[in-house]
Amino acid sequence: MITETVLPSERGIRRAAEIIKRGDVVAFPTETVYGLGANALDEAAVKKIFVAKGRPADNPLIVHISSLDMMETVAADIPAEAYKLAERFWAGPLTVVLKKSSSVPSVTSGGLDTVGIRFPSHPAAKRLIELSGVPIAAPSANLSGSPSPTTFKRVYEDMNGRVPMIINGGSCEFGVESTVVSLNNGCARILRPGAVTKEMLEQVIKNVTVDPGVLSELPEGAKVRSPGMKYKHYAPKAKVIIVAGSLEAYREYVRRHAKERDFCLLFDKSERIPGIHYLTYGSTAKEQAHRLFEALRNLDAKGAETVYARCPDASGMGLAVYNRILRSAGFNIVEAENGE
Ligand code: AMP
Ligand code: MG
């Protein structure tokens, strides 16, 4: 398949919308990461997304909308809290899981009777949905299992030859996928943390909990509320080990274990260890979120074998960073102690 690239101009987006309308797939930028979109209501079109990504069929897609009217066509029995969240956080990086309407085919929802809905704020994403005239189902535009693409270059690497069109929108603002919440009896549960934090949600909904699957590996057979959490995710080819503890303890641990092709993944270059390769991904949670996936892909490009990552602070937006790095490390976290 030939993959065309267009810029997010009105003309470019019009051409992309034609592709969506004819039942095909377009990779497009959003404020979180790049998405791989098709008409959410067209079963055959949605199946093409799963093929392009190599995604397991039971991993649901998020349905992207550009108006509340659209939400009402894809969801049923919408609770008042959904409207409150919509008013406060849409357009933006929040996905709300609601009961699905019969218009949404089961392939879109991964066989569930619920559907994750998001109203993106990125102008190109919004315009693409408007011009297509249909809700767009879109997972992240990476090959299944790889870190999500946050730049055009990475989408192109993964999707060239697999989809008819990519919209080149440069780099994505947030860099981690949307916050996913489910609603139950007036309470919200965070299934996946993102740029809309627990503290922000609490300004609108009194009782907000974090699903146990966000912070730890679920025991075998446990009920998975967010199907994506059971899959290996965001994983580079390199083996990632998170080394928690003070900077001094981190350095000591790495000095003792690092081999020639190993790398440190640091917040800042002041933490580097002479003689050991390193990459940085930022000192604030916002910067870390923006740069983490690109750093993981760069580590692969540099041929890193084992990566010793500093452990990010998991408060506020840091929870999203911690959740992603924990998964990219396959939950491999060691506690380094001074003089160990
Ligand atoms: P991605 O499209 O790669 O950002 O992944 C979307 C993730 O959102 C899925 O892997 C699920 O974990 C979550 N999700 C989407 N729809 C639902 C749903 N109906 N119920 C629970 N989680 C969902
Ligand atoms: Mg994804």
Side-chain angles (χ1 to χ4, degrees), residues 245-255 310 336-339:
S246 67
L247 174 58
E248 201 187 324
Y250 170 87
R251 281 188 170 137
E252 218 172 293
Y253 183 93
V254 175
R255 267 194 218 107
R310 290 217 69 202
E337 277 163 38
N338 290 337

Side-chain angles (χ1 to χ4, degrees), residues 240-254 263-273 278-283 288 292 296 299 307-314 321-322 325-326 328-329 332-334 336 338:
V240 179
I241 301 172
I242 302 170
V243 183
S246 67
L247 174 58
E248 201 187 324
Y250 170 87
R251 281 188 170 137
E252 218 172 293
Y253 183 93
V254 175
F263 272 72
C264 292
L265 181 56
L266 307 171
F267 305 140
D268 181 85
K269 92 176 181 209
S270 64
E271 299 157 346
R272 73 189 183 278
I273 305 169
Y278 71 94
L279 272 188
T280 63
Y281 75 112
S283 303
Q288 289 167 358
L292 176 64
L296 293 175
L299 286 163
V307 174
Y308 297 95
R310 290 217 69 202
C311 184
D313 174 9
V321 178
Y322 183 68
I325 200 164
L326 203 55
S328 65
N332 191 355
I333 177 162
V334 297
N338 290 337

Side-chain angles (χ1 to χ4, degrees), residues 91-248:
L94 176 71
T95 296
V96 183
V97 175
L98 297 174
K99 191 171 163 206
K100 84 172 184 70
S101 77
S102 58
S103 66
V104 179
S106 151
V107 60
T108 302
S109 65
L112 300 173
D113 58 5
T114 54
V115 61
I117 303 172
R118 178 163 114 74
F119 190 146
S121 64
H122 192 293
K126 239 176 15 189
R127 193 71 185 133
L128 179 64
I129 304 165
E130 283 165 6
L131 292 174
S132 303
V134 289
I136 294 184
S140 49
N142 51 285
L143 290 171
S144 194
S146 297
S148 302
T150 58
T151 61
F152 168 71
K153 178 173 176 240
R154 301 306 185 187
V155 185
Y156 191 83
E157 271 173 16
D158 276 17
M159 289 300 148
N160 183 30
R162 303 180 76 88
V163 297
M165 185 173 280
I166 303 173
I167 302 177
N168 177 356
S171 89
C172 300
E173 181 189 350
F174 292 113
V176 286
E177 303 86 346
S178 58
T179 305
V180 178
V181 300
S182 64
L183 296 170
N184 197 7
N185 290 328
C187 305
R189 177 190 286 263
I190 298 176
L191 304 181
R192 177 175 74 184
V196 173
T197 62
K198 180 169 187 279
E199 295 72 20
M200 288 160 75
L201 292 165
E202 279 164 349
Q203 291 169 9
V204 179
I205 294 186
K206 249 201 218 126
N207 191 337
V208 182
T209 54
V210 176
D211 192 89
V214 166
L215 286 173
S216 53
E217 198 163 19
L218 293 170
E220 202 151 330
K223 184 172 179 325
V224 183
R225 287 198 177 78
S226 178
M229 291 208 239
K230 71 176 183 233
Y231 293 107
K232 189 167 181 217
H233 230 131
Y234 319 121
K237 293 183 192 81
K239 175 181 176 188
V240 179
I241 301 172
I242 302 170
V243 183
S246 67
L247 174 58
E248 201 187 324

